[in-house]
Amino acid sequence: MPHVHVPRGVREHLEDVLARTSLATARAEDPLALPTLLPLGLDRCRIVPLVHDAPRNGAQYQNARRRGGFPTRRRSSGQPHAACQAAHSRLEPRICYEGAPHPGMEKGSMSYPRAWIEEIARYEGQDVELRGWLEARRSSGKLHFLQVRDGTGTIQCVMFKGDVPEEIFEEADHLPLESSIKIRGTVRADARAPIGYELAVKEMEVVSRALPDYPIGRKEHGVAFLMDHRHLWLRSNRQRVIMAVRHTIVKAIRDFFDERGFRLVDAPIFTPAACEGTTTLFEVPYFDLGHAYLTQSGQLYGEAAAMAYGKIYTFGPTFRAEKSKTRRHLTEFWMVEPEVAFMELDEDMDLAEDFLVHIVERVLDKHRRDLERILERDVSKLEAVKKPFPRITYDDAIRILHEMGNETPWGEDFGGDEETLLASRFDRPVIVHRFPAQTKAFYFKRDPNDERLALGMDVLAPEGYGEIIGGGQREDDLDTLIRRLEEHDLPREPFEWYLDLRRWGSVPHAGFGLGLERTVAWICGLHHVRETIPFPRMMERITP
RNA sequence: UCCGCGGUAGCUCAGUCGGUAGAGCAGGUGGCUGUUAACCACCGGGUCCGAGGUUCGAGUCCUCGCCGCGGAGCCA
């Protein structure tokens, strides 16, 4: 077998879905890769069509097939599966793994197997039961188009007057939107259907009739209204995709570190004092000990863990009581923070770079179609996220800003405007390093070549999404660190344990923090981070 | 905390110079066998954010207050 390239991500994706379900459907970016997937145990693959795809890969597909590269499942009749034939003629191929029954394929009502819309292609020509919610209805007298959503997707169900009992047809005409239903019929491919498949309805059963006034309509809504109805807004197609991308990013983050041997260490949420001192903390009563604070960073604990286990990451919620009312801020957000012993600033930047490239690749691999079609994201902007990222010093950045007419004086930190300006000079994330020490927290190590500078680095996302990563090398000398605490006017007592890390086997070490919500907003191309988390917590919003 | 914008039907909004409160969607009724945010006809739907003021007359002008949104600072 000739050497063929396995597209990055396909293998991981298949393994991922196979771990989750035993019936997997995955896209193959490059049909030539299929033969190499066989050793993975995918020897029972078949090709199914994606009807709504443009036939742009048809020629490539045909070519691969002539070379005998495609495993094709045949029915017991010996005839190629109808879906395979369709794929052969004009459509982009999909890999479909046939294994043990899907956990969701438990027997549906009345002997119809239950199907999920996400995998509806699998059931073409078969009778199935869908369980979901009535999302929209278009009616044409003796013909209803019922748009049904089951959480994995939306499908058009076609109900002809003669095909169902009269009272069911009447019921379908008046059933309020968002009523929950079980609907049974035959899955068939049809170019007129929005997703290429539709259900020819034979039976419908109402599980719960909704009130007639579902608040979220088919037309536009204001942000405030939608936020008030966040619990219902999550049902929309757009929010479904955003939450799916968030999930993929979380998984990509975990996989990235797990595959590199990092230990996951959970930092506490209740902390005795400020980690960085300057920012505002949420204070909560704590028994006889007075007050505790909600963590604003797991980093100090991450450093302790790195001294114990070498390379670690923390991943959890973080709280900031800053009165920030901007599109980039939440009071509760998720942050992942790797920390590595014996690592210095340059390697820290290498790690951040590999990390972001990995995340973007995984999202593109899994969600390219949804990003383009539902979120209207320009994915070419994401495809540009390749190594190496430009690395500029703070001094360079100031020089560039001055060239562009921004007069930020040396020594000041960058605001949103400066970040956007800088990022606009590059087509991929840009790393800014070696900041003036006074702009950074007490624990940053100084640049041995210039005491005014801290060995910190920020990664600025393109397109004005701002700082998504902040990190750097930590001060590892005991006496210097004690001096820094004094300079920052911080109490020493709560930091004694932290100082211990420098008393017994101190080593150079570095790490960074990545804001999950900002990353999701950037990758999805969202205007505001509040859409990236199911129930955002903001300065003036704590419900729903 | 500061600066800017806004608050009119269930939702999104229009409302001219101060002169009887409007549209689309949603809801209801009827029509239509391939719709794609379906379409067509008809119907119901209002504390114009609140309080006070100017005026013959205030959704509209003025003052104060409340709420929301965006931005700054700070940060991921």
Side-chain angles (χ1 to χ4, degrees):
Chain A
M1 188 180 295
H3 171 75
V4 285
H5 166 72
V6 182
R8 198 197 301 266
V10 168
R11 178 183 180 137
E12 287 88 340
H13 177 62
L14 280 170
E15 285 171 346
D16 169 33
V17 216
L18 286 170
R20 195 160 51 81
T21 94
S22 47
L23 173 73
T25 308
R27 282 182 76 208
E29 295 293 343
D30 175 5
L32 292 173
L34 284 174
T36 60
L37 294 174
L38 297 186
L40 296 177
L42 300 179
D43 53 342
R44 285 168 295 169
C45 289
R46 66 179 172 119
I47 307 306
V48 299
L50 226 53
V51 174
H52 51 290
D53 266 0
R56 59 179 182 273
N57 290 337
Q60 193 182 18
Y61 178 86
Q62 293 281 356
N63 189 35
R65 186 169 170 256
R66 265 198 302 280
R67 293 161 61 173
F70 279 94
T72 302
R73 176 177 170 269
R74 287 176 183 274
R75 289 180 148 167
S76 51
S77 64
Q79 289 302 307
H81 193 278
C84 297
Q85 291 178 312
H88 287 193
S89 61
R90 63 189 187 81
L91 296 161
E92 179 177 334
R94 273 188 143 196
I95 311 165
C96 191
Y97 178 73
E98 306 246 345
H102 186 284
M105 261 181 67
E106 71 267 27
K107 196 176 171 190
S109 319
M110 310 285 287
S111 85
Y112 289 80
R114 183 185 180 186
W116 291 88
I117 295 167
E118 190 174 47
E119 296 168 334
I120 204 67
R122 164 73 183 74
Y123 302 95
E124 193 195 339
Q126 298 177 33
D127 283 358
V128 299
E129 175 179 275
L130 298 176
R131 300 174 185 174
W133 293 263
L134 180 61
E135 187 171 84
R137 170 181 43 234
R138 297 177 289 275
S139 185
S140 183
K142 306 202 168 47
L143 178 60
H144 298 316
F145 296 95
L146 306 173
Q147 197 133 335
V148 175
R149 182 193 71 243
D150 74 352
T152 70
T154 304
I155 193 170
Q156 166 173 294
C157 301
V158 187
M159 183 187 279
F160 283 99
K161 188 169 178 135
D163 292 352
V164 293
E166 180 64 33
E167 61 273 16
I168 295 293
F169 189 80
E170 192 59 26
E171 170 111 77
D173 198 20
H174 297 281
L175 196 59
L177 299 186
E178 292 301 316
S179 292
S180 48
I181 56 174
K182 294 178 181 176
I183 192 159
R184 298 179 275 274
T186 311
V187 178
R188 65 179 178 216
D190 192 312
R192 293 168 297 186
I195 64 165
Y197 292 91
E198 61 185 19
L199 189 77
V201 179
K202 293 176 176 172
E203 298 173 17
M204 184 185 77
E205 181 186 326
V206 177
V207 176
S208 173
R209 193 181 172 85
L211 296 175
D213 49 357
Y214 185 63
I216 299 182
R218 307 285 289 163
K219 282 242 175 175
E220 314 161 15
H221 295 284
V223 175
F225 177 83
L226 287 171
M227 288 307 311
D228 285 340
H229 297 85
R230 182 63 175 169
H231 49 295
L232 302 176
W233 187 20
L234 288 173
R235 300 178 180 193
S236 75
N237 219 15
R238 176 184 167 85
Q239 299 304 315
R240 192 193 87 237
V241 170
I242 293 171
M243 291 309 140
V245 171
R246 180 184 169 105
H247 176 190
T248 296
I249 290 175
V250 169
K251 178 115 170 64
I253 287 170
R254 290 205 180 282
D255 288 348
F256 178 86
F257 291 119
D258 293 350
E259 286 161 10
R260 283 163 181 74
F262 283 63
R263 179 79 37 89
L264 172 67
V265 176
D266 296 314
I269 307 289
F270 288 129
T271 60
C275 291
E276 304 182 16
T278 53
T279 39
T280 327
L281 293 160
F282 286 105
E283 192 180 276
V284 292
Y286 201 82
F287 306 113
D288 297 337
L289 298 179
H291 292 287
Y293 302 89
L294 300 185
T295 182
Q296 59 182 354
S297 166
Q299 188 208 309
L300 301 192
Y301 299 98
E303 288 186 48
M307 297 306 118
Y309 311 121
K311 42 186 175 179
I312 66 95
Y313 67 106
T314 69
F315 197 175
T318 308
F319 307 87
R320 302 273 167 97
E322 295 149 6
K323 294 190 174 178
S324 300
K325 290 176 63 173
T326 83
R327 70 182 70 173
R328 301 187 306 281
H329 287 88
L330 297 169
T331 54
E332 177 182 327
F333 65 97
W334 284 65
M335 188 156 68
V336 55
E337 297 175 283
E339 191 75 29
V340 181
F342 299 100
M343 186 169 81
E344 303 192 14
L345 183 63
D346 284 349
E347 293 168 275
D348 198 29
M349 292 192 274
D350 292 342
L351 185 68
E353 188 177 80
D354 287 339
F355 181 52
L356 283 179
V357 167
H358 176 260
I359 291 172
V360 170
E361 269 177 4
R362 285 279 286 270
V363 173
L364 277 178
D365 195 61
K366 255 185 144 160
H367 302 287
R368 174 185 299 267
R369 185 191 322 280
D370 284 342
L371 284 171
E372 284 176 331
R373 295 183 188 205
I374 294 171
L375 300 181
E376 292 170 353
R377 181 72 166 108
D378 178 359
V379 295
S380 69
K381 294 272 173 48
L382 297 175
E383 283 163 343
V385 180
K386 303 273 193 229
K387 289 173 73 170
F389 294 173
R391 296 182 187 187
I392 60 175
T393 63
Y394 175 87
D395 286 3
D396 293 336
I398 286 287
R399 214 164 12 249
I400 291 171
L401 285 173
H402 287 178
E403 277 169 23
M404 296 175 85
N406 180 291
E407 294 304 322
T408 302
W410 194 97
E412 271 190 26
D413 209 350
F414 302 135
D417 289 349
E418 286 76 30
E419 290 177 354
T420 303
L421 263 178
L422 275 174
S424 71
R425 291 282 292 257
F426 306 96
D427 68 339
R428 60 193 75 186
V430 53
I431 305 179
V432 185
H433 58 91
R434 291 182 167 77
F435 287 83
Q438 71 260 28
T439 66
K440 292 291 173 185
F442 75 95
Y443 49 73
F444 278 90
K445 189 177 178 66
R446 299 291 171 93
D447 186 346
N449 299 316
D450 186 345
E451 262 295 304
R452 299 174 306 153
L453 300 177
L455 292 178
M457 62 100 178
D458 284 355
V459 182
L460 307 181
E463 303 165 77
Y465 283 94
E467 184 184 341
I468 51 172
I469 282 181
Q473 189 172 339
R474 323 304 186 188
E475 180 54 66
D476 49 72
D477 179 70
L478 177 65
D479 294 334
T480 310
L481 195 54
I482 291 172
R483 201 164 66 242
R484 298 276 181 258
L485 281 174
E486 286 164 1
E487 286 168 9
H488 282 77
D489 238 1
L490 290 168
R492 179 159 156 185
E493 197 277 324
F495 291 99
E496 278 301 334
W497 69 266
Y498 185 67
L499 294 171
D500 277 355
L501 305 176
R502 277 75 181 168
R503 291 188 176 106
W504 289 287
S506 188
V507 298
H509 61 289
F512 60 80
L514 170 124
L516 178 63
E517 286 74 17
R518 285 191 186 176
T519 306
V520 177
W522 161 51
I523 290 179
C524 290
L526 306 179
H527 179 69
H528 198 301
V529 291
R530 66 187 154 206
E531 268 191 273
T532 66
I533 188 167
F535 296 97
R537 293 294 173 251
M538 293 176 293
M539 206 176 116
E540 304 203 25
R541 175 176 295 279
I542 198 160
T543 53

